[in-house]
Amino acid sequence: MKKTLLPILALAMVCCTPQRQETQHITITTEDVTDRKMTLSPMASHRGATEMTLEENTYSASVSTSETGFYNLVSVTNDRQYIIPYYVPVTKSESASHLTFGERGTITIEGSKDNSALAAFTSVYATNSRDLWKLQKGETEAARAIIEAIAIKADSIVKAYRCSKPVAEYIKMWAYTIAYDCFSSVPRIVGIPLKELPYSREDLLAEPHTVLNSPIAALFSNTPHIVYSSIPNKNNLDSALIYVEQHYTDTALIKKVNDNIAGRYVSRYDYSTEFDKGLERLQTATERYGLNPRHIVDFEKHRATVPGQPFPEGIVLQDRNGNVVDFSAFRGKYVYIDMWASWCVPCLREVPVLQKLEKTLKNKNVTFVSISIDANQEAWKKKMDEKNMHGHQLWNPEGTLGKALNVKGIPFFAIYDPDGKLYMHGAPRPSQGPGLVELLEGLK
């Protein structure tokens, strides 16, 4: 009897277990549809947003089921945009809600207790941000009260609406990330340096690893930054990755944080020294921690910043008539490159100094090349005419040179030798005075 009964019970359990739905049909009704566009997209997904269709006062869309059940519901009108988190259990195929847009950013949703809670905390977020930025200089204690109230309000909403566990956790994470960002803004708002505040971040917030060790934490865009900021030796690639391994267990979060760490390593590395050692360190970490191989590709692209490397391949340079100019045309002379843009005020300040330097430099073994990274060709031409810019004026329409040379800001200057190889990455500006003149006059 027992042998017969057990398989039947097992079959019954399987049949009664709710199955994950492949797609979900979501409808949102609202009275305010004038010039309103609404889109829906699964959180933490590379899939794009789906525009909801409107019929009378009802917006609807069928979307692929979010892995976590959470979506971003985006409402856009001519003067305002709302981004509202929306939750549908993965076992449901349909969800219907009524959405009301109130004054001053308040939102209410009727339909499920979970979405009502998420809408309520959306309004708390809007009110909290507004109150914080209304503070006057020196109101440090008022700022502290606002930040401390965030977690309290979140807890009250969870209890009042009796949220499901995923939504309760989402609101908890959301409250923490909001409070973290608010604290970061306090010095600017109250006009007091961070070190002089009468309280620290640790006084107001628990350590990130005690709160954010959850797949839901990975849904927030600022979570990797928060985790990274809490790492003691964050500038050391190996130490940072070890810290994450020791303090976090959720694989989704670890992947996002490690990706953030590797990205920072690539963007901040000093490529002028020990390039090969830095690359080897990244390759080893990628193999050990399963980092995205694209970071290795990005690192190798920066080899062009190492002195002695040739001018990057595949860089398209055009003159003002649209003719492609090969950088090899400048072989035989040292080339002083100025990277600039028509919208860059510091760049424009350098222009008259650079033009004067070009006219007065005695060393004929040096040529000057200005390369614009403007997206708009006409803007580049107009600014050249306004500034009466002469000499070799080129345009890099896709900004690929800046990426290859790891340029973090313009104006940027570099020097290439007569063989077309990098002589100096990050050369002095013209406005830096005699030092640059002395350097250029000495190039033989």
Side-chain angles (χ1 to χ4, degrees):
M1 183 65 179
K2 290 183 179 178
K3 291 182 180 179
T4 305
L5 183 59
L6 287 174
I8 293 174
L9 288 174
L11 179 61
M13 289 177 66
V14 171
C15 293
C16 294
T17 301
Q19 297 296 307
R20 182 183 185 277
Q21 301 297 313
E22 292 301 317
T23 59
Q24 292 175 328
H25 186 70
I26 297 173
T27 59
I28 305 289
T29 59
T30 179
E31 282 76 26
D32 187 1
V33 298
T34 305
D35 297 322
R36 186 178 299 279
K37 176 182 176 181
M38 296 186 72
T39 61
L40 196 69
S41 58
M43 289 189 188
S45 171
H46 296 297
R47 295 191 295 269
T50 299
E51 184 171 352
M52 304 185 78
T53 59
L54 174 64
E55 186 174 342
E56 294 184 353
N57 68 332
T58 301
Y59 292 87
S60 62
S62 292
V63 295
S64 298
T65 299
S66 166
E67 294 180 3
T68 59
F70 287 95
Y71 302 81
N72 279 319
L73 177 63
V74 181
S75 165
V76 180
T77 58
N78 293 330
D79 61 348
R80 181 163 296 190
Q81 173 178 283
Y82 294 89
I83 301 178
I84 311 161
Y86 195 83
Y87 178 72
V88 184
V90 297
T91 56
K92 277 193 170 185
S93 61
E94 295 183 353
S95 175
S97 300
H98 183 78
L99 178 60
T100 302
F101 298 94
E103 296 181 357
R104 300 172 66 81
T106 59
I107 298 168
T108 57
I109 291 181
E110 299 171 11
S112 76
K113 58 184 181 181
D114 284 335
N115 287 315
S116 294
L118 289 169
F121 195 71
T122 300
S123 297
V124 166
Y125 176 34
T127 302
N128 175 85
S129 299
R130 185 167 56 248
D131 291 346
L132 186 67
W133 285 94
K134 277 183 178 180
L135 295 180
Q136 303 298 312
K137 301 296 183 183
E139 291 188 300
T140 57
E141 289 307 314
R144 177 174 187 160
I146 290 173
I147 294 172
E148 290 178 330
I150 296 172
I152 297 172
K153 292 176 181 178
D155 187 56
S156 297
I157 287 173
V158 168
K159 291 179 179 177
Y161 289 91
R162 298 181 180 180
C163 302
S164 64
K165 186 176 179 180
V167 171
E169 189 171 357
Y170 182 95
I171 292 176
K172 176 185 176 183
M173 303 290 172
W174 193 8
Y176 184 90
T177 59
I178 291 171
Y180 192 98
D181 285 348
C182 285
F183 178 83
S184 300
S185 300
V186 168
R188 185 163 68 255
I189 293 171
V190 302
I192 296 177
L194 178 63
K195 293 181 179 180
E196 296 180 18
L197 288 177
Y199 45 85
S200 66
R201 181 180 282 115
E202 290 72 22
D203 293 331
L204 304 181
L205 297 166
E207 285 293 318
H209 70 268
T210 65
V211 179
L212 300 177
N213 193 18
S214 160
I216 289 181
L219 299 178
F220 297 94
S221 60
N222 58 344
T223 299
H225 168 71
I226 293 174
V227 173
Y228 179 82
S229 298
S230 69
I231 299 175
N233 194 12
K234 61 177 70 66
N235 293 323
N236 183 291
L237 177 65
D238 299 318
S239 296
L241 293 171
I242 289 171
Y243 179 89
V244 173
E245 183 180 54
Q246 292 176 341
H247 289 80
Y248 295 87
T249 58
D250 182 73
T251 54
L253 179 62
I254 289 174
K255 183 178 180 181
K256 291 197 75 170
V257 171
N258 284 354
D259 189 59
N260 182 274
I261 292 171
R264 290 174 185 265
Y265 176 80
V266 172
S267 66
R268 297 180 178 182
Y269 191 81
D270 181 3
Y271 292 97
S272 64
T273 60
E274 298 186 329
F275 181 92
D276 290 328
K277 285 186 177 180
L279 177 58
E280 182 182 356
R281 188 177 300 117
L282 180 59
Q283 290 171 331
T284 301
T286 299
E287 184 177 346
R288 176 177 177 181
Y289 297 99
L291 304 178
N292 193 323
R294 72 177 173 82
H295 295 298
I296 295 177
V297 175
D298 290 343
F299 193 100
E300 290 179 324
K301 286 180 179 178
H302 290 103
R303 190 179 288 277
T305 66
V306 179
Q309 291 296 312
F311 189 81
E313 294 183 359
I315 302 299
V316 177
L317 302 175
Q318 297 179 14
D319 64 19
R320 69 176 300 149
N321 296 319
N323 300 313
V324 175
V325 178
D326 195 301
F327 190 75
S328 62
F330 304 108
R331 290 277 180 90
K333 289 188 176 185
Y334 284 92
V335 183
Y336 181 74
I337 292 178
D338 163 32
M339 289 184 64
W340 70 289
S342 63
W343 44 260
C344 170
V345 174
C347 299
L348 300 179
R349 292 194 188 116
E350 296 291 335
V351 170
V353 190
L354 177 61
Q355 289 178 319
K356 181 179 178 181
L357 174 64
E358 188 171 353
K359 289 180 179 179
T360 58
L361 192 74
K362 297 177 181 178
N363 187 358
K364 302 305 178 183
N365 201 32
V366 176
T367 190
F368 295 81
V369 177
S370 292
I371 301 175
S372 165
I373 63 169
D374 274 287
N376 186 301
Q377 186 180 28
E378 293 306 314
W380 165 55
K381 291 180 179 180
K382 181 179 179 181
K383 190 59 65 174
M384 281 195 297
D385 293 338
E386 288 179 3
K387 293 291 183 179
N388 193 28
M389 297 172 70
H390 55 257
H392 300 295
Q393 300 292 331
L394 302 178
W395 180 46
N396 181 217
E398 298 177 357
T400 50
L401 181 59
K403 294 176 183 177
L405 294 180
N406 196 33
V407 175
K408 295 181 172 66
I410 54 174
F412 173 82
F413 301 89
I415 301 174
Y416 278 83
D417 68 17
D419 294 323
K421 295 180 179 179
L422 184 64
Y423 178 82
M424 181 178 290
H425 183 275
R429 297 184 179 192
S431 61
Q432 287 179 282
L436 175 61
V437 176
E438 191 174 317
L439 170 64
L440 297 178
E441 292 288 12
L443 296 177
K444 303 298 182 183

